[in-house]
Amino acid sequence: VERKDFETWLDNISVTFLSLTDLQKNETLDHLISLSGAVQLRHLSNNLETLLKRDFLKLLLPLELSFYLLKWLDPQTLLTCCLISKQWNKVISACTEVWQTACKNLGWQIDDSVQDALHWKKVYLKAILRMKQLEDHEAFETSSLIGHSARVYALYYKDGLLCTGSDDLSPVTGSFDNTVALWALSAGTCLNTLTGHTEWVTKVVLQKCKVKSLLHSPGDYILLSADKYEIKIWPIGREINCKSICLQPRLHFDGKYIVCSSALGLYQWNFASYDILRVIKTPEIANLALLGFGDIFALLFDNRYLYIMDLRTESLISRWPLPEYRKSKRGSSFLAGEASWLNGLDGHNDTGLVFPTSMPDHSIHLVLWKEHG
């Protein structure tokens, strides 16, 4: 067939082909394929591969639109996509919002001023490793401090330093007369004795207020004291009670919220109004005591384990076995260590001391963050 006649025939058959239904088009193609030889089938295969495997990230879409589509993929799928080609890895690794969101979803603190996408991808990989260690109960390690010759009944931790008090004449005093005393350390004199508790005072917290209410202003110093049944607040010379049920001997106050564990779960109060904001029940494990409470995580424990709770889901995500530590009704034989990670991990604050407790042999048992692998 001459070239000119062939082109005329091709135009005519193209018009006819376009007028067919989809079913008729398929039947036409099936018939043509059945008439084709090896050369035609090879040609068809090569062209179909090009048509069907178009690289939309590399060739077809603007970068902004590619980023928009990538946001809908979960991080694990994105990591798999990075293996497709160098171009895909480059595009996916350059999407800052994708990796920042992935880190936030894991409960990590994000500095939005850092717009280096590769940085956030590395942070995510570090975060997913740490979260896996928590889920597998492998995020911590233990150590011991030995030095006291009698029971250790007081512990205090701040800025990387752990202070301990013992019956071996270390300088610590205490009382079981249900009172709270305010002392001037420089003069060694008692400024005031606050009465009202009907049970042993198991915890006192002194903190600057961060909210405004009818009774206090931001910057005022507020004293909280807790016994087995009540939390008492002592602002501006007055006392206010926050009733609960069988409180555990731990108390958390950050200037905005009061949190305490009870037989029914964790209670969170709004310090400005004294209203109960939240009750987090832990039905699978009863009588958990509170060690620390943040925006993302809470640190809890019982006689056997140290627990981490994800406050967004109110579920326990990790636990760590504890030895037979020395029990204290006053709650003074154990405390939380570094606590900034409770507001969200950032890749740097998951180091150092998590939990110290005194032991029957007068040593101090330490639970520490394990170093990143």
Side-chain angles (χ1 to χ4, degrees):
V1 179
E2 297 292 335
R3 181 65 185 177
K4 184 176 181 181
D5 295 336
F6 172 75
E7 290 178 352
T8 301
W9 173 83
L10 189 59
D11 289 339
N12 292 333
I13 200 171
S14 298
V15 172
T16 303
F17 183 80
L18 293 174
S19 66
L20 300 177
T21 65
D22 286 337
L23 181 59
Q24 291 169 336
K25 289 178 181 178
N26 291 343
E27 290 180 358
T28 302
L29 291 174
D30 288 341
H31 181 69
L32 290 174
I33 290 173
S34 68
L35 298 175
S36 300
V39 175
Q40 288 76 43
L41 292 175
R42 189 180 302 110
H43 175 78
L44 181 62
S45 176
N46 292 337
N47 282 277
L48 281 176
E49 184 176 8
T50 302
L51 289 172
L52 296 177
K53 295 185 178 180
R54 292 184 177 180
D55 191 336
F56 68 93
L57 281 185
K58 183 177 181 180
L59 302 173
L60 301 179
L61 296 179
L63 193 58
E64 293 78 7
L65 188 54
S66 295
F67 285 167
Y68 175 79
L69 294 176
L70 291 171
K71 288 194 300 183
W72 297 95
L73 299 178
D74 63 272
Q76 192 58 48
T77 301
L78 288 171
L79 291 175
T80 302
C81 290
C82 287
L83 303 176
I84 292 176
S85 68
K86 291 182 179 179
Q87 181 63 26
W88 277 54
N89 182 54
K90 182 178 179 181
V91 172
I92 293 171
S93 299
C95 188
T96 301
E97 187 176 355
V98 164
W99 298 110
Q100 282 186 335
T101 301
C103 292
K104 288 179 181 178
N105 291 339
L106 288 177
W108 282 54
Q109 298 182 49
I110 298 300
D111 182 356
D112 291 322
S113 65
V114 179
Q115 291 298 309
D116 181 358
L118 188 58
H119 165 79
W120 291 117
K121 182 183 176 183
K122 292 178 179 179
V123 169
Y124 172 78
L125 294 173
K126 189 176 184 180
I128 203 70
L129 173 61
R130 180 59 92 192
M131 297 306 294
K132 177 108 175 26
Q133 288 178 334
L134 286 172
E135 292 172 4
D136 294 340
H137 316 305
E138 297 177 349
F140 304 130
E141 58 189 6
T142 59
S143 182
S144 295
L145 300 177
I146 300 174
H148 283 291
S149 59
R151 65 172 183 159
V152 176
Y153 64 91
L155 298 171
Y156 182 76
Y157 178 82
K158 187 175 179 63
D159 297 334
L161 298 175
L162 178 64
C163 302
T164 63
S166 163
D167 284 339
D168 60 6
L169 302 182
S170 298
V172 178
T173 63
S175 171
F176 296 96
D177 59 4
N178 305 339
T179 64
V180 179
L182 304 179
W183 297 83
L185 294 180
S186 58
T189 57
C190 183
L191 301 177
N192 194 5
T193 300
L194 306 175
T195 61
H197 283 284
T198 58
E199 296 283 338
W200 291 351
V201 176
T202 58
K203 179 72 173 179
V204 291
V205 176
L206 183 64
Q207 176 67 272
K208 273 190 177 182
C209 178
K210 297 180 182 179
V211 292
K212 173 71 175 178
S213 81
L214 295 176
L215 297 174
H216 43 70
S217 301
D220 291 345
Y221 277 98
I222 307 296
L223 180 67
L224 271 67
S225 57
D227 62 28
K228 185 177 181 181
Y229 297 105
E230 294 180 316
I231 300 173
K232 288 185 177 291
I233 302 169
W234 310 85
I236 321 175
R238 297 181 58 185
E239 68 166 288
I240 300 167
N241 292 341
C242 289
K243 298 284 186 179
S244 188
I245 303 173
C246 190
L247 296 176
Q248 302 293 332
R250 307 303 300 172
L251 182 65
H252 174 85
F253 178 50
D254 62 4
K256 293 182 180 179
Y257 306 107
I258 306 168
V259 184
C260 191
S261 55
S262 77
L264 298 181
L266 298 179
Y267 278 74
Q268 183 180 26
W269 287 273
N270 184 334
F271 188 57
S273 63
Y274 306 112
D275 293 332
I276 293 179
L277 297 178
R278 191 177 184 185
V279 179
I280 303 174
K281 298 183 181 297
T282 54
E284 67 272 24
I285 301 175
N287 297 322
L288 289 180
L290 176 69
L291 282 168
F293 192 92
D295 296 332
I296 305 295
F297 302 110
L299 187 63
L300 310 154
F301 76 110
D302 61 13
N303 291 337
R304 299 177 59 201
Y305 292 101
L306 186 68
Y307 299 93
I308 295 179
M309 174 182 283
D310 189 328
L311 294 172
R312 298 166 300 173
T313 60
E314 299 185 1
S315 60
L316 300 176
I317 62 171
S318 187
R319 71 182 186 187
W320 185 260
L322 295 176
E324 289 291 330
Y325 57 87
R326 193 183 69 79
K327 309 301 188 294
S328 169
K329 291 184 178 180
R330 293 172 293 162
S332 59
S333 61
F334 43 77
L335 76 162
E338 297 288 349
S340 62
W341 64 271
L342 295 172
N343 293 319
L345 297 165
D346 62 9
H348 303 287
N349 58 9
D350 53 341
T351 59
L353 184 64
V354 178
F355 173 78
T357 183
S358 59
M359 300 295 292
D361 64 357
H362 317 319
S363 66
I364 308 298
H365 179 80
L366 306 179
V367 177
L368 307 159
W369 281 103
K370 186 181 293 184
E371 291 187 7
H372 284 279

